[in-house]
Amino acid sequence: MSKEPILRSADWFGRRDKLGFVHRSWMKAEGFSHSVFQGRPVVGICNSWSELTNCNAHLRQVADAVKRGVWAAGGFPLEFPTISLGEPFMRPSTMMFRNLMSMDVEECIRANPLDAVVLLCGCDKTTPAQLMGAASADLPAIMCTGGPMLKGMWQQREIGSGSDVWHFWDELRAGRISEEEFQEIESCMSRSHGHCMTMGTASTMTSLAEALGMTLPGCASIPAPDSRRLVMAEMTGARAVEMARAGPRPSQILTRQAFENAIRVNAAIGGSTNAIIHLVAIAGRLGMELPLGLFDDLARSTPFLANVRPSGKYLMEDFYYAGGLPAVMREVLPLLHAGSLTVNGRTVGDNYRDAACYNRDVIRPAAEPLAKEGGTVVLYGSLAPHGAVLKPTAASPQLMQHTGRAVVFEDHDDLKERVDDPHLDIDADCVMVLKHGGPKGAPGMPEWGNLPIPAKLLKQGVEDMVRISDARMSGTSYGTVVLHISPEAAVGGPLAIVENGDRIELDVPNRRLNLLISEEEKQRRLARWEPPVRHYDRGYGRLFLDHILQAHEGCDFDFLRAYPGGEQLRGSPRSWKRRAQDKLPSPF
Ligand code: FES
């Protein structure tokens, strides 16, 4: 008997019957010779390329490099598109469509004659969406991220994606720069291919894809225009061919230990608050619960090492030259599960034990961290019974314990209308409150949580205030911002009943977020609360509103969680069951 495993694609291309004729013949329409059907593993290249997703606009070139690697290793590459999610453009929010993209990825992988898949992503939501879809499909999968942009430059000054948009927007509103200068900065910021080059959500999620073990080591930090990005893509394609025959599958990589590694790495790099939602959602696809408390527990014993904006000084290009993610992984290796398997077939310990660091100001040693605790803290209390999050490394130390008067904005339109009103009754000690920015309320949980400081306070020199909401914020943002309050206002969470003038207590050291009203007053307000009008009654919007879970549950759809994984050949459930009864051999 042959020792070669039976390839999944053989059920399409290896048949001697009419169906085999059909599958091969129609594929030959693309100009492939008969030799490609002679037992070569079929490697799908799942491409989120789109001109509407500028961060992923170079992925066709990356896909060509992956194909080189697949052909050279004896595979048969087939590139396919899925929907793509361009962070700057999509309304109401790309988060509204992350689950839709994950379904597209999952079903395209499962429905087609693939033995393994290479996932190409970059922009914020494309990375978690592909990981969620690939985890649910559970065919051997390896990710190659698109890489960060080169750093922006304006008047000899290095400027970073997102973070400097918020900074210069405040400077403009305060009258400290002109409109002409603001326009000039616009052209100087995004000057190459790639995703945002701060440690925003994109750099965070691509780093965590590597920390989870789903990319080759060193993949996340290589700048997009660097030729080594294409070398990485070629190597990824070659490795995918090996994985097609011998695995591992995502369910063998994405273990509880792998998620704990990713949570610690997120703390060490000062990663985006959005990472919590995405990691919870990816784990949910494998039937794993990641309670918010786990993020807080692991962050408390993980040093913050990456001196990269918005929590630090440098940009992703500097981070790469300093050693990139491997250098961070090496520093925190004693805290990681070093035995966790990665897609190259080696363990985390094997991959990162010898990683070098070339600049200790960019990547600090674990013994001399930027802060003893990294990551995102999780707050609970009468205002957030199921939790809320705050990123202390991007917040103001003097506001970590603060009680203030609530200034309430009922929704985002209300905020836009009134925040710069010179008559707004607000001072620097107030707590700004935004309602209806959550998964159902906005809908789609947009990145509205970094509420702008009112113009009149900016002109007084106020740079930060406590701001709270059920929304998310961009990973490139900074400030004392409490996010992801759960349950959200739109489902009757306590945020819904906050009124102007209420006292709100934020106590980060003790992880508390409280609305300081009496129990009687709380019950009186809850009794008269009414749910807001639904935004959609048809189409995807309706599906979203009917099935979206809350922030602490990862905002996945309830019916997508905990798919048990495993092979599902095309055809009806009956034919699938029959194959299982026939005990057809599995290559794994
Ligand atoms: Fe795509 Fe920032 S807009 S990563």
Side-chain angles (χ1 to χ4, degrees):
M1 249 176 78
S2 163
K3 288 191 182 142
E4 277 286 298
I6 296 172
L7 292 169
R8 180 174 182 265
S9 60
D11 199 49
W12 280 262
F13 298 132
R15 304 172 76 109
R16 288 165 176 256
D17 58 7
K18 182 187 75 183
L19 266 182
F21 174 98
V22 168
H23 297 146
R24 289 185 298 273
S25 176
W26 263 256
M27 187 55 87
K28 284 176 180 177
E30 294 184 31
F32 293 114
S33 70
H34 194 72
S35 67
V36 302
F37 305 112
Q38 308 284 299
R40 285 175 175 261
V42 180
V43 175
I45 302 172
C46 177
N47 201 342
S48 55
W49 169 88
S50 167
E51 287 183 341
L52 286 167
T53 308
N54 60 284
C55 307
N56 298 15
H58 61 306
L59 292 183
R60 298 297 305 277
Q61 195 188 0
V62 176
D64 285 343
V66 173
K67 286 179 194 172
R68 282 203 307 264
V70 173
W71 284 120
F76 176 20
L78 289 170
E79 181 184 353
F80 63 95
T82 64
I83 60 165
S84 190
L85 309 177
E87 199 64 30
F89 304 129
M90 294 187 81
R91 295 180 182 171
S93 157
T94 47
M95 189 62 187
M96 176 111 180
F97 307 105
R98 181 201 63 178
N99 299 346
L100 181 64
M101 180 173 168
S102 79
M103 292 166 75
D104 188 353
V105 169
E106 175 185 347
E107 300 305 339
C108 278
I109 293 173
R110 184 181 293 122
N112 281 301
L114 306 179
D115 299 303
V117 65
V118 176
L119 307 164
L120 299 186
C121 60
C123 199
D124 292 15
K125 307 300 179 300
T126 57
T127 305
Q130 287 190 336
L131 289 173
M132 291 161 74
S136 294
D138 206 27
L139 280 183
I142 181 170
M143 181 167 265
C144 183
T145 57
M149 296 175 199
L150 299 176
K151 52 191 168 189
M153 291 295 284
W154 177 63
Q155 297 183 353
Q156 293 293 309
R157 190 172 160 181
E158 295 180 355
I159 52 176
S161 316
S163 305
D164 276 312
V165 178
W166 326 133
H167 170 72
F168 286 117
W169 174 236
D170 283 349
E171 292 290 284
L172 180 70
R173 290 166 65 230
R176 290 190 281 268
I177 61 168
S178 67
E179 285 204 21
E180 289 70 32
E181 285 176 306
F182 192 62
Q183 259 184 26
E184 200 178 303
I185 293 165
E186 173 185 306
S187 305
C188 298
M189 184 170 285
S190 309
R191 63 186 185 94
S192 81
H193 285 311
H195 57 70
C196 290
M197 50 26 201
T198 43
M199 191 57 83
T201 305
S203 299
T204 299
M205 289 312 301
T206 52
S207 297
L208 299 192
E210 181 171 337
L212 283 165
M214 289 296 293
T215 73
L216 293 179
C219 179
S221 316
I222 307 170
D226 194 304
S227 57
R228 287 163 286 191
R229 169 63 50 201
L230 300 183
V231 175
M232 179 60 70
E234 186 180 313
M235 288 163 54
T236 300
R239 175 60 189 153
V241 176
E242 295 171 348
M243 290 173 68
R245 291 203 169 94
R249 294 169 181 259
S251 57
Q252 294 168 294
I253 304 277
L254 298 172
T255 61
R256 172 85 180 188
Q257 288 76 16
F259 282 103
E260 292 186 358
N261 287 348
I263 293 169
R264 283 203 187 272
V265 170
N266 187 45
I269 61 175
S272 164
T273 47
N274 288 318
I276 295 189
I277 290 180
H278 297 319
L279 287 177
V280 170
I282 299 162
R285 294 298 182 96
L286 294 145
M288 264 178 281
E289 300 282 342
L290 294 182
L292 292 189
L294 179 67
F295 289 82
D296 201 291
D297 287 349
L298 296 179
R300 283 182 196 237
S301 55
T302 307
F304 168 43
L305 304 177
N307 195 4
V308 180
R309 294 183 219 174
S311 298
K313 181 170 147 196
Y314 296 98
L315 293 166
M316 287 302 288
E317 195 178 334
D318 309 303
F319 184 66
Y320 175 60
Y321 302 144
L325 192 73
V328 175
M329 297 276 285
R330 180 186 176 169
E331 286 301 319
V332 295
L333 195 55
L335 300 171
L336 303 180
H337 299 284
S340 294
L341 182 66
T342 73
V343 282
N344 69 353
R346 289 156 53 100
T347 65
V348 166
D350 292 340
N351 286 341
Y352 298 105
R353 168 170 312 122
D354 299 321
C357 179
Y358 306 106
N359 187 331
R360 281 300 182 195
D361 195 38
V362 180
I363 299 170
R364 298 290 174 88
E368 295 169 43
L370 290 155
K372 272 183 15 202
E373 295 179 18
T376 305
V377 303
V378 179
L379 307 162
Y380 291 97
S382 58
L383 199 43
H386 293 155
V389 304
L390 176 141
K391 185 172 167 182
T393 51
S396 301
Q398 73 276 12
L399 291 173
M400 292 295 92
Q401 283 182 302
H402 181 85
T403 300
R405 170 171 63 89
V407 175
V408 178
F409 299 93
E410 288 299 322
D411 55 34
H412 196 244
D413 287 342
D414 185 27
L415 173 75
K416 282 194 296 187
E417 269 169 36
R418 293 195 297 122
V419 71
D420 286 338
D421 182 343
H423 303 297
L424 184 67
D425 181 14
I426 193 165
D427 59 53
D429 291 329
C430 288
V431 174
M432 297 176 73
V433 179
L434 174 67
K435 299 179 184 176
H436 300 111
K440 290 196 182 202
M445 208 177 177
E447 294 181 335
W448 293 340
N450 186 25
L451 280 65
I453 306 284
K456 72 174 186 182
L457 297 184
L458 280 175
K459 286 175 184 154
Q460 294 167 18
V462 175
E463 291 186 341
D464 195 10
M465 294 172 68
V466 176
R467 289 158 273 175
I468 73 169
S469 75
D470 47 9
R472 297 176 303 113
M473 79 170 177
S474 164
T476 61
S477 299
Y478 48 85
T480 308
V481 183
V482 176
L483 305 153
H484 309 183
I485 288 180
S486 182
E488 63 175 310
V491 299
L495 183 65
I497 60 166
V498 180
E499 294 182 359
N500 278 317
D502 288 345
R503 307 284 293 171
I504 290 176
E505 177 198 38
L506 169 67
D507 182 350
V508 175
N510 293 300
R511 305 297 195 255
R512 284 204 305 259
L513 181 67
N514 286 320
L515 176 61
L516 303 178
I517 61 172
S518 68
E519 187 58 31
E520 297 76 45
E521 177 62 10
K522 179 181 165 186
Q523 293 308 327
R524 192 177 64 76
R525 292 186 194 179
L526 282 174
R528 64 169 197 241
W529 176 79
E530 285 183 12
V533 176
R534 275 168 67 94
H535 287 81
Y536 302 97
D537 58 12
R538 64 167 297 281
Y540 176 72
R542 178 173 169 172
L543 179 83
F544 182 93
L545 290 177
D546 286 346
H547 295 283
I548 189 73
L549 296 168
Q550 289 289 289
H552 70 285
E553 299 164 306
C555 296
D556 202 358
F557 291 151
D558 49 12
F559 60 86
L560 290 176
R561 281 160 59 110
Y563 183 76
E567 182 65 89
Q568 183 176 315
L569 294 174
R570 90 278 178 275
S572 68
R574 255 176 64 210
S575 76
W576 161 228
K577 202 168 158 194
R578 200 163 53 239
R579 285 183 70 86
Q581 283 163 356
D582 291 345
K583 293 195 173 47
L584 287 179
S586 161
F588 304 104

